[in-house]
Amino acid sequence: MNEFQGIVQNIFDNYSKDYEGPFGSDKPSYKAFYKLQTWLSENALHNREDLNIRFSVGKGNWTQVPWFAILNSKEASDTRNGFYIVALFQHTMEGFYLSIGQGVTGPYERYGNKGGTEYLLEKKGEATKEINNLADSSFEISSSENIDLKATGGVGLKYGPGICVHKYFSKNNLPSDKDILKDIDFLVAAYDKIVEKNISSNLIKRRSKKNSWVLSPGRNAEFWDNYKSENIINIGWSKLGNLSKYNSKKDITQKIKEVYRENNESEPTNQALTCYEFAKEINVGDYVYAKQGSSKLLGVGEITSDYIYDKTKSHPHIRKVKWLNIKDFDIKDKLGHKIALKTLTNFTQYPDTVKKFEEFYFGDKQNIVKSKPIATNIESLLSDTFFSHKKFLDLISSLEDYKNIIIQGAPGVGKTFIARKIAQHLTQNENNIQSLVLHENYSYEEFIMGIRPNKEGKFLISGGVFYNFCHRAIQSPNNKFVLLLDEINRANISKIFGELLVLIENDKRGKENSIKLIYKSDEDFYLPKNLYVIGLMNTADRSLKVVDYALRRRFKFFTFEPEFENPEFKNFLKRNNVNSNTADKIIRNLTVLNQKISDDSFDLGAGYCIGHSFFCPQGNKESYENDWYEEIIKNQIIPLIEEYYFDKPDTIEEISEDLLS
């Protein structure tokens, strides 16, 4: 018996017994499937970065029909939708079907039983036209009638309409390693044809109504170039601080009177309205038109982020934008009149004007700005890092399985950097990534839902950041969405999630687990299965309280450590023009320092070590030498050491001398 036969025989021998007992990854059949996944990854993919192996034996409970699958990330990001190669094991463990099939969960949820079946059969017909050559082999063109998985209920009864071609193997006639790999290669070639045709792409997509805003990039459009280069819009009024803290336009008006006394001759209602609308009423997905004065539009973009406050900027109030079309629109010539000189105006209330804007900008595709594509393969994503492929794949796999992970570690170990890489890999779309920085005063009303004033001063129930993001994911079930929660242990998680804390668990996702919200009893709300949450924790923050059990049991934790001793780190430094002597000094000095911190278990410990990202070069200098190293030590590392050892000046002096020697 060869390796494949041995693994599959183990599944046949143990799955029925495991099925009758409690679910667990320690069970023999689970371990066998995991071993099978590893074997296929090593032998069947031939370094194809676009292909990945999945398996499922259930989640929390054993599934009647376990499977392993090979997916192309361009076609199927998960097994709910799209085409993929799949081996379906009969419930009775008499054999399995090796096939090209479709995800059935998504179509049945989207179109119902009748509509889902019709959809699967339609797509199956289109696919089999592309792979008719398989009918001349030992594979059969499938029908629902010749696929019998022996299932008694659940999704196992629904696979049939989605199967395009198949070959059956009984447990008494299992293929050799050579034969199964030959069959898989045959299917991969056919699968590539299906992917190339993009057969499953024409799903019905509904977009919610977008607001249309007109914004001035400063006086005479002086910041327009900055808007385009940084893919943002922003406004001034820096003395107001973070606009999120204001509950109403009236509050902002009062604050403007206080801090801008020199301009207080008139009521600053327009300025207050601009600030309030910019922070509170612009939504992700809205269109924004940049204007110059009252007579010219410069371009149109789509809002891609919630409000951001960056106090380091002279214009600190920011929204991220994907610019869609850059060209001039002569307002007076095309409308017959000019428009108001206000900094920000919601033009949604003028539908005839908006229609002319849209006809001009979206009717002509020649000047549409192509957004920068996200690298979809791991090689490209990790090209500017020294992060191992295996560790990255482990993180991806855990996030797919658990839906929620937390990456924790000391300052500078690359938590946020890698988290965004993971999000990019999953979503393949920056617009489907939402970042939040949590803090101890963050509330349920901000995160889920609360009562807030509108621009007329009336108090209305409004959705928070997480609620709105969930709805975006629900409305786009074929795409993945990732929420990045930085400083997650600063917030009271039980407080901000409220009744949704239970639903965040993987097995509580989906419409079948809908609940009523505190503020909206007329809505059945649920967390979609295509939403993923990545939390980030700094283990060296003295202000943090102990992470509660409610958080720990709903997230899988990963700890990042400094990588100074990783040989790839030194190679990374060399590739980025760090002088060899400087690289050696970094590795030597920081390794010694981190050992000292780790050994200091009374005051500090390993969670306070210094991360490698402090020394990851930025920019394109010809050489990073000793001056660069000393600048980082003096301006970033020593201040951190001073915070660690604030009551031990001698220790601070000793460490500083060692680092600068």
Coordinates of all heavy atoms in Angstrom, one line a residue, residues 241-306:
G241 N -9.4 69.5 16.9 CA -9.0 68.1 17.3 C -9.9 67.1 16.6 O -10.4 67.3 15.5
N242 N -10.0 65.9 17.2 CA -10.7 64.8 16.6 C -12.2 65.1 16.5 O -12.8 65.3 17.5 CB -10.5 63.5 17.4 CG -10.9 62.3 16.7 OD1 -11.8 62.3 15.9 ND2 -10.3 61.1 17.1
L243 N -12.7 65.1 15.3 CA -14.1 65.4 15.1 C -15.1 64.4 15.6 O -16.3 64.6 15.7 CB -14.4 65.7 13.6 CG -13.6 66.9 13.0 CD1 -13.9 67.0 11.5 CD2 -14.0 68.2 13.6
S244 N -14.6 63.2 15.8 CA -15.4 62.1 16.3 C -16.0 62.4 17.7 O -17.1 61.8 18.0 CB -14.6 60.8 16.4 OG -14.2 60.4 15.1
K245 N -15.3 63.3 18.4 CA -15.8 63.5 19.8 C -17.0 64.4 19.9 O -17.6 64.6 20.9 CB -14.6 64.1 20.6 CG -14.2 65.5 20.2 CD -13.0 66.0 20.9 CE -12.5 67.4 20.5 NZ -11.3 67.8 21.1
Y246 N -17.3 65.1 18.8 CA -18.5 66.0 18.8 C -19.8 65.3 18.5 O -19.8 64.5 17.5 CB -18.2 67.2 17.8 CG -17.0 68.0 18.1 CD1 -15.8 67.8 17.4 CD2 -17.1 69.0 19.0 CE1 -14.7 68.6 17.6 CE2 -15.9 69.8 19.3 CZ -14.7 69.6 18.6 OH -13.6 70.3 18.9
N247 N -20.8 65.6 19.2 CA -22.1 64.9 19.1 C -23.0 65.6 18.1 O -24.0 65.1 17.6 CB -22.8 64.8 20.4 CG -22.0 63.9 21.3 OD1 -21.5 62.8 20.9 ND2 -22.0 64.2 22.6
S248 N -22.8 66.9 17.8 CA -23.7 67.7 17.0 C -22.9 68.8 16.3 O -21.8 69.2 16.6 CB -24.8 68.3 17.8 OG -24.3 69.3 18.7
K249 N -23.6 69.3 15.2 CA -23.1 70.5 14.5 C -23.0 71.7 15.5 O -22.0 72.5 15.4 CB -24.0 70.8 13.4 CG -23.5 72.0 12.5 CD -24.4 72.2 11.3 CE -25.7 72.8 11.8 NZ -26.6 73.3 10.7
K250 N -23.9 71.8 16.4 CA -23.9 72.9 17.4 C -22.6 72.9 18.2 O -22.1 73.9 18.5 CB -25.2 72.8 18.3 CG -25.3 73.9 19.3 CD -26.6 73.8 20.1 CE -26.8 74.9 21.1 NZ -28.0 74.7 21.9
D251 N -22.2 71.7 18.7 CA -21.0 71.6 19.5 C -19.8 72.0 18.7 O -18.9 72.7 19.2 CB -20.8 70.1 19.9 CG -21.8 69.6 20.9 OD1 -22.5 70.5 21.5 OD2 -21.9 68.4 21.0
I252 N -19.7 71.7 17.4 CA -18.6 72.1 16.6 C -18.6 73.6 16.4 O -17.6 74.3 16.4 CB -18.6 71.4 15.2 CG1 -18.5 69.9 15.4 CG2 -17.5 71.9 14.3 CD1 -18.6 69.1 14.1
T253 N -19.8 74.2 16.2 CA -20.0 75.6 16.0 C -19.4 76.4 17.2 O -18.7 77.3 17.1 CB -21.5 76.0 15.8 OG1 -22.0 75.3 14.7 CG2 -21.6 77.5 15.6
Q254 N -19.8 75.9 18.4 CA -19.3 76.5 19.6 C -17.8 76.4 19.8 O -17.2 77.4 20.2 CB -20.0 75.8 20.8 CG -19.7 76.5 22.2 CD -20.1 77.9 22.2 OE1 -21.2 78.3 21.8 NE2 -19.2 78.8 22.8
K255 N -17.2 75.3 19.4 CA -15.8 75.1 19.5 C -15.1 76.0 18.5 O -14.0 76.6 18.8 CB -15.4 73.7 19.3 CG -14.0 73.3 19.6 CD -13.7 73.5 21.1 CE -12.2 73.0 21.4 NZ -11.9 73.2 22.8
I256 N -15.6 76.2 17.3 CA -15.0 77.1 16.3 C -15.0 78.5 16.9 O -14.0 79.2 16.7 CB -15.8 77.0 15.0 CG1 -15.5 75.7 14.3 CG2 -15.3 78.1 14.0 CD1 -16.3 75.5 13.0
K257 N -16.0 78.9 17.5 CA -16.1 80.3 18.1 C -15.0 80.4 19.2 O -14.4 81.5 19.3 CB -17.5 80.5 18.7 CG -18.6 80.7 17.7 CD -19.9 80.9 18.5 CE -21.0 81.2 17.5 NZ -22.3 81.4 18.2
E258 N -14.7 79.4 19.9 CA -13.7 79.4 21.0 C -12.3 79.5 20.5 O -11.5 80.3 21.0 CB -13.9 78.2 21.9 CG -15.2 78.2 22.7 CD -15.4 76.9 23.5 OE1 -14.4 76.2 23.6 OE2 -16.5 76.7 24.0
V259 N -12.0 78.7 19.5 CA -10.6 78.5 19.1 C -10.2 79.3 17.9 O -9.0 79.5 17.6 CB -10.3 77.0 18.9 CG1 -10.5 76.2 20.1 CG2 -11.1 76.5 17.7
Y260 N -11.2 79.9 17.2 CA -10.9 80.7 16.0 C -11.5 82.1 16.3 O -12.3 82.6 15.5 CB -11.4 80.1 14.7 CG -10.7 78.9 14.3 CD1 -11.3 77.6 14.5 CD2 -9.4 78.9 13.7 CE1 -10.6 76.4 14.2 CE2 -8.8 77.7 13.4 CZ -9.4 76.5 13.6 OH -8.8 75.3 13.2
R261 N -11.1 82.8 17.4 CA -11.7 84.0 17.8 C -11.5 85.1 16.8 O -12.4 86.0 16.6 CB -11.1 84.5 19.1 CG -11.4 83.5 20.3 CD -10.9 84.0 21.6 NE -11.1 83.1 22.7 CZ -12.3 82.9 23.4 NH1 -13.3 83.7 23.1 NH2 -12.4 82.0 24.3
E262 N -10.4 85.1 16.0 CA -10.1 86.1 15.1 C -11.0 86.1 13.9 O -11.2 87.1 13.2 CB -8.6 86.0 14.6 CG -8.3 84.8 13.7 CD -8.0 83.5 14.5 OE1 -8.2 83.6 15.7 OE2 -7.5 82.6 13.9
N263 N -11.7 85.0 13.7 CA -12.6 84.9 12.5 C -14.1 84.8 13.0 O -14.9 84.1 12.4 CB -12.3 83.7 11.7 CG -10.9 83.7 11.1 OD1 -10.4 84.8 10.7 ND2 -10.2 82.6 11.0
N264 N -14.3 85.4 14.1 CA -15.6 85.2 14.8 C -16.6 86.3 14.6 O -17.5 86.5 15.4 CB -15.3 85.0 16.3 CG -16.4 84.3 17.0 OD1 -17.2 83.6 16.4 ND2 -16.5 84.5 18.3
E265 N -16.4 87.0 13.5 CA -17.4 88.1 13.2 C -18.8 87.6 12.9 O -19.8 88.2 13.2 CB -16.9 89.0 12.1 CG -15.7 89.9 12.4 CD -14.4 89.2 12.1 OE1 -14.5 88.1 11.5 OE2 -13.3 89.7 12.4
S266 N -18.8 86.5 12.2 CA -20.1 85.9 11.8 C -20.3 84.5 12.4 O -19.3 83.9 12.8 CB -20.2 85.8 10.3 OG -19.1 85.1 9.7
E267 N -21.5 84.0 12.3 CA -21.8 82.7 12.8 C -21.2 81.6 11.9 O -21.4 81.5 10.7 CB -23.3 82.5 12.8 CG -23.8 81.2 13.5 CD -23.8 81.3 15.0 OE1 -23.5 82.4 15.5 OE2 -24.0 80.3 15.6
P268 N -20.3 80.8 12.4 CA -19.5 79.8 11.6 C -20.3 78.5 11.3 O -19.8 77.4 11.4 CB -18.3 79.5 12.5 CG -18.8 79.6 13.8 CD -19.9 80.7 13.8
T269 N -21.5 78.7 10.8 CA -22.4 77.5 10.6 C -21.9 76.7 9.4 O -22.0 75.5 9.5 CB -23.8 78.0 10.3 OG1 -23.9 79.0 9.3 CG2 -24.5 78.6 11.6
N270 N -21.5 77.4 8.3 CA -21.0 76.6 7.2 C -19.8 75.8 7.5 O -19.6 74.6 7.1 CB -20.7 77.5 6.0 CG -22.0 77.9 5.3 OD1 -23.0 77.2 5.4 ND2 -22.0 79.0 4.5
Q271 N -18.8 76.4 8.2 CA -17.6 75.6 8.6 C -18.0 74.4 9.5 O -17.4 73.3 9.3 CB -16.6 76.6 9.4 CG -16.1 77.7 8.6 CD -16.9 79.0 8.8 OE1 -18.1 79.0 8.8 NE2 -16.1 80.1 9.1
A272 N -18.9 74.7 10.5 CA -19.3 73.6 11.3 C -20.0 72.5 10.6 O -19.8 71.3 10.8 CB -20.2 74.1 12.4
L273 N -20.8 72.8 9.6 CA -21.5 71.8 8.8 C -20.5 71.0 8.0 O -20.7 69.8 7.9 CB -22.5 72.5 7.9 CG -23.4 71.6 7.0 CD1 -24.2 70.6 7.8 CD2 -24.2 72.4 6.0
T274 N -19.6 71.7 7.4 CA -18.5 71.0 6.6 C -17.8 69.9 7.5 O -17.7 68.8 7.1 CB -17.5 72.0 6.1 OG1 -18.1 72.8 5.1 CG2 -16.3 71.2 5.4
C275 N -17.4 70.3 8.7 CA -16.7 69.4 9.6 C -17.6 68.3 10.0 O -17.1 67.1 10.0 CB -16.2 70.2 10.8 SG -14.9 71.4 10.4
Y276 N -18.8 68.6 10.3 CA -19.7 67.5 10.8 C -20.0 66.5 9.7 O -20.0 65.3 9.9 CB -21.0 68.2 11.3 CG -22.0 67.2 11.9 CD1 -21.9 66.8 13.2 CD2 -23.0 66.6 11.1 CE1 -22.7 65.9 13.8 CE2 -23.9 65.7 11.7 CZ -23.7 65.3 13.0 OH -24.6 64.4 13.6
E277 N -20.3 67.0 8.5 CA -20.6 66.1 7.4 C -19.4 65.3 7.0 O -19.5 64.1 6.7 CB -21.2 66.9 6.2 CG -22.5 67.5 6.4 CD -23.0 68.3 5.2 OE1 -22.2 68.8 4.4 OE2 -24.3 68.3 5.0
F278 N -18.2 65.9 7.0 CA -17.0 65.2 6.6 C -16.8 64.0 7.5 O -16.4 62.9 7.1 CB -15.8 66.2 6.6 CG -14.6 65.6 6.0 CD1 -14.3 65.8 4.7 CD2 -13.7 64.8 6.8 CE1 -13.1 65.2 4.1 CE2 -12.6 64.3 6.2 CZ -12.3 64.5 4.9
A279 N -17.0 64.2 8.8 CA -16.7 63.2 9.8 C -17.8 62.2 10.0 O -17.6 61.0 10.2 CB -16.3 63.8 11.1
K280 N -19.0 62.7 9.9 CA -20.2 61.9 10.4 C -21.1 61.4 9.3 O -21.8 60.3 9.4 CB -21.0 62.7 11.3 CG -20.3 63.3 12.5 CD -20.1 62.3 13.6 CE -19.5 63.0 14.9 NZ -19.3 62.1 16.0
E281 N -21.2 62.1 8.1 CA -22.2 61.7 7.2 C -21.7 61.2 5.8 O -22.5 60.6 5.1 CB -23.1 63.0 6.9 CG -23.9 63.4 8.2 CD -25.0 64.3 8.0 OE1 -25.1 64.8 6.8 OE2 -25.8 64.6 8.9
I282 N -20.5 61.4 5.5 CA -19.9 60.8 4.3 C -19.8 59.3 4.6 O -19.3 58.9 5.7 CB -18.6 61.4 3.9 CG1 -18.7 62.8 3.4 CG2 -17.9 60.6 2.8 CD1 -17.4 63.5 3.1
N283 N -20.2 58.5 3.7 CA -20.1 57.0 3.9 C -19.1 56.4 2.9 O -18.9 56.9 1.8 CB -21.5 56.4 3.6 CG -22.5 56.9 4.6 OD1 -22.3 56.9 5.8 ND2 -23.7 57.2 4.2
V284 N -18.6 55.2 3.3 CA -17.8 54.4 2.4 C -18.6 54.1 1.2 O -19.7 53.6 1.3 CB -17.2 53.2 3.1 CG1 -16.5 52.3 2.1 CG2 -16.2 53.6 4.2
G285 N -18.1 54.3 0.0 CA -18.8 54.0 -1.2 C -19.4 55.2 -1.9 O -19.8 55.2 -3.0
D286 N -19.5 56.3 -1.1 CA -20.0 57.6 -1.7 C -19.1 58.1 -2.7 O -17.9 57.8 -2.7 CB -20.2 58.7 -0.6 CG -21.4 58.4 0.2 OD1 -22.2 57.5 -0.1 OD2 -21.6 59.2 1.2
Y287 N -19.6 58.9 -3.7 CA -18.8 59.6 -4.7 C -18.4 61.0 -4.2 O -19.2 61.6 -3.5 CB -19.5 59.7 -6.0 CG -19.7 58.4 -6.8 CD1 -20.9 58.1 -7.3 CD2 -18.6 57.5 -6.9 CE1 -21.1 56.9 -8.0 CE2 -18.8 56.3 -7.6 CZ -20.1 56.0 -8.2 OH -20.2 54.8 -8.8
V288 N -17.2 61.4 -4.5 CA -16.8 62.8 -4.2 C -16.2 63.4 -5.4 O -15.3 62.8 -6.1 CB -15.8 62.8 -3.0 CG1 -14.5 62.0 -3.3 CG2 -15.4 64.2 -2.6
Y289 N -16.6 64.6 -5.8 CA -16.1 65.3 -6.9 C -15.3 66.5 -6.4 O -15.7 67.3 -5.5 CB -17.3 65.9 -7.7 CG -18.2 64.8 -8.3 CD1 -19.3 64.3 -7.6 CD2 -18.0 64.4 -9.6 CE1 -20.1 63.3 -8.2 CE2 -18.8 63.4 -10.2 CZ -19.8 62.9 -9.5 OH -20.7 61.9 -10.0
A290 N -14.0 66.6 -6.8 CA -13.2 67.7 -6.5 C -13.5 68.9 -7.4 O -13.6 68.7 -8.6 CB -11.7 67.3 -6.6
K291 N -13.5 70.1 -6.8 CA -13.8 71.3 -7.6 C -12.7 72.3 -7.4 O -12.0 72.3 -6.4 CB -15.1 71.8 -7.2 CG -15.2 72.5 -5.8 CD -16.5 73.2 -5.5 CE -16.4 73.9 -4.1 NZ -17.6 74.7 -3.8
Q292 N -12.6 73.2 -8.4 CA -11.8 74.4 -8.3 C -12.7 75.6 -8.4 O -13.3 75.9 -9.4 CB -10.8 74.4 -9.4 CG -9.8 75.6 -9.3 CD -8.7 75.5 -10.4 OE1 -8.8 74.7 -11.4 NE2 -7.6 76.2 -10.2
G293 N -12.8 76.4 -7.3 CA -13.7 77.5 -7.2 C -15.1 77.1 -7.4 O -15.6 76.0 -6.9
S294 N -15.9 77.9 -8.2 CA -17.3 77.6 -8.4 C -17.6 77.2 -9.8 O -18.8 77.0 -10.2 CB -18.2 78.8 -8.0 OG -17.8 79.9 -8.8
S295 N -16.5 77.1 -10.7 CA -16.8 76.9 -12.1 C -16.1 75.7 -12.7 O -16.3 75.4 -13.9 CB -16.3 78.2 -12.8 OG -14.9 78.3 -12.6
K296 N -15.4 74.8 -11.9 CA -14.7 73.7 -12.5 C -14.7 72.5 -11.6 O -14.4 72.6 -10.4 CB -13.3 74.1 -12.9 CG -12.6 73.0 -13.7 CD -11.1 73.3 -13.8 CE -10.9 74.4 -14.8 NZ -9.4 74.7 -15.0
L297 N -15.1 71.3 -12.1 CA -14.8 70.1 -11.4 C -13.5 69.5 -12.0 O -13.2 69.7 -13.2 CB -15.9 69.1 -11.6 CG -17.3 69.4 -11.1 CD1 -18.2 68.2 -11.3 CD2 -17.2 69.7 -9.6
L298 N -12.7 68.8 -11.1 CA -11.4 68.3 -11.5 C -11.3 66.8 -11.7 O -10.5 66.2 -12.3 CB -10.4 68.7 -10.5 CG -10.3 70.2 -10.2 CD1 -9.4 70.5 -9.0 CD2 -9.7 70.9 -11.4
G299 N -12.3 66.1 -11.0 CA -12.3 64.6 -11.0 C -13.2 64.0 -10.0 O -13.8 64.8 -9.2
V300 N -13.4 62.7 -10.1 CA -14.4 62.0 -9.2 C -13.7 60.8 -8.6 O -12.9 60.1 -9.3 CB -15.7 61.6 -10.0 CG1 -15.3 60.7 -11.1 CG2 -16.7 61.0 -9.0
G301 N -14.0 60.5 -7.3 CA -13.4 59.4 -6.7 C -14.5 58.7 -5.8 O -15.6 59.3 -5.6
E302 N -14.2 57.5 -5.3 CA -15.1 56.8 -4.4 C -14.4 56.7 -3.0 O -13.3 56.4 -2.9 CB -15.3 55.4 -5.0 CG -16.3 54.5 -4.1 CD -16.5 53.2 -4.7 OE1 -15.6 52.6 -5.4 OE2 -17.6 52.6 -4.5
I303 N -15.2 57.1 -2.0 CA -14.7 57.0 -0.6 C -14.5 55.6 -0.2 O -15.3 54.7 -0.4 CB -15.8 57.7 0.3 CG1 -16.1 59.1 -0.1 CG2 -15.3 57.6 1.8 CD1 -14.9 60.1 0.1
T304 N -13.3 55.3 0.3 CA -12.9 54.0 0.7 C -12.6 53.8 2.2 O -12.2 52.7 2.6 CB -11.7 53.5 -0.1 OG1 -10.6 54.4 0.2 CG2 -12.0 53.5 -1.6
S305 N -12.8 54.8 3.0 CA -12.5 54.7 4.4 C -13.5 55.5 5.2 O -14.1 56.5 4.7 CB -11.1 55.1 4.8 OG -11.0 56.5 4.9
D306 N -13.6 55.1 6.5 CA -14.3 56.0 7.4 C -13.4 57.2 7.8 O -12.2 57.3 7.4 CB -14.7 55.2 8.7 CG -15.8 54.2 8.4 OD1 -16.8 54.5 7.8 OD2 -15.6 53.0 8.8

